[in-house]
Amino acid sequence: MSVILQKANREDMRELWQMQVDAFKGLLTKYHDHDMSPAAESYERILQKFDFMGTTYFFIVAEGKRVGGIRIIDKKDGSRKRISPIWIMPEFRNLGFAQQAILEAERIYGEDNWSLDTILQEKGNLHLYEKLGYRQTGKIEKISDIMDIVYYEKN
């Protein structure tokens, strides 16, 4: 089953925001990272991000269902393209949709010069990104006693 990335417009942002909050709620509960968790972002903040130069939000769609979302930042100035964030709704996880969505983003935007970050303690995320050719940069940011952010790049 393959996925498509369906470009979101401003009118879609409330739905995408609600999906993002629901998808990241478990990690917010686990890590209590209220300052940076996508589950804690306000709707107004998502609208601001939507308006950032080079930002495009997409629904991740499989078999006609919106199973997740992804935000791509591509300033088209030679800087790294960025995935921030990507999510799959809990009921659709572990079916390969995140992997397919990243591959589709790379097909659309080009497969080199990417960056992303994730929670170091979430081993499934690390496995996914490394399987797709992303490599840790060596930068790790300690957020709390139970959470670190690890940075990845793909050239």
Side-chain angles (χ1 to χ4, degrees), residues 3 60 70 86-88 92 95-103 128-129 132:
V3 304
I60 300 169
I70 185 171
I86 181 171
W87 69 89
I88 302 296
F92 297 109
L95 298 172
F97 295 145
Q99 177 176 336
Q100 290 179 48
I102 292 170
L103 290 171
L128 168 66
Y129 301 137
L132 289 170

Side-chain angles (χ1 to χ4, degrees), residues 121-140:
Q121 290 76 12
E122 292 299 313
K123 299 306 180 198
N125 291 357
L126 308 185
H127 176 73
L128 168 66
Y129 301 137
E130 290 169 11
K131 179 169 63 169
L132 289 170
Y134 288 78
R135 298 291 168 245
Q136 293 187 22
T137 66
K139 179 181 176 186
I140 297 175

Side-chain angles (χ1 to χ4, degrees), residues 37-137:
S37 172
E41 278 188 330
S42 69
Y43 175 62
E44 292 72 23
R45 179 69 179 139
I46 295 296
L47 286 179
Q48 287 176 341
K49 286 183 174 184
F50 179 85
D51 292 333
F52 283 171
M53 182 188 83
T55 288
T56 307
Y57 277 91
F58 295 92
F59 289 102
I60 300 169
V61 179
E63 290 189 346
K65 294 186 182 107
R66 291 175 169 174
V67 301
I70 185 171
R71 175 181 174 229
I72 306 293
I73 304 159
D74 181 7
K75 296 180 182 176
K76 298 182 182 355
D77 63 359
S79 63
R80 288 193 179 275
K81 297 166 284 214
R82 184 161 170 70
I83 298 171
S84 178
I86 181 171
W87 69 89
I88 302 296
M89 301 308 294
E91 63 270 28
F92 297 109
R93 290 182 184 156
N94 301 311
L95 298 172
F97 295 145
Q99 177 176 336
Q100 290 179 48
I102 292 170
L103 290 171
E104 182 63 7
E106 291 176 353
R107 186 190 68 75
I108 294 168
Y109 289 91
E111 52 186 57
D112 64 337
N113 206 28
W114 285 90
S115 68
L116 56 80
D117 57 70
T118 192
I119 299 170
L120 180 63
Q121 290 76 12
E122 292 299 313
K123 299 306 180 198
N125 291 357
L126 308 185
H127 176 73
L128 168 66
Y129 301 137
E130 290 169 11
K131 179 169 63 169
L132 289 170
Y134 288 78
R135 298 291 168 245
Q136 293 187 22
T137 66

Side-chain angles (χ1 to χ4, degrees), residues 6-24:
Q6 179 184 65
K7 189 174 180 179
N9 58 42
R10 204 169 217 296
E11 292 73 39
D12 294 320
M13 292 313 295
R14 187 163 294 280
E15 180 181 354
L16 260 175
W17 169 71
Q18 190 59 61
M19 288 174 72
Q20 174 181 296
V21 168
D22 292 345
F24 283 97

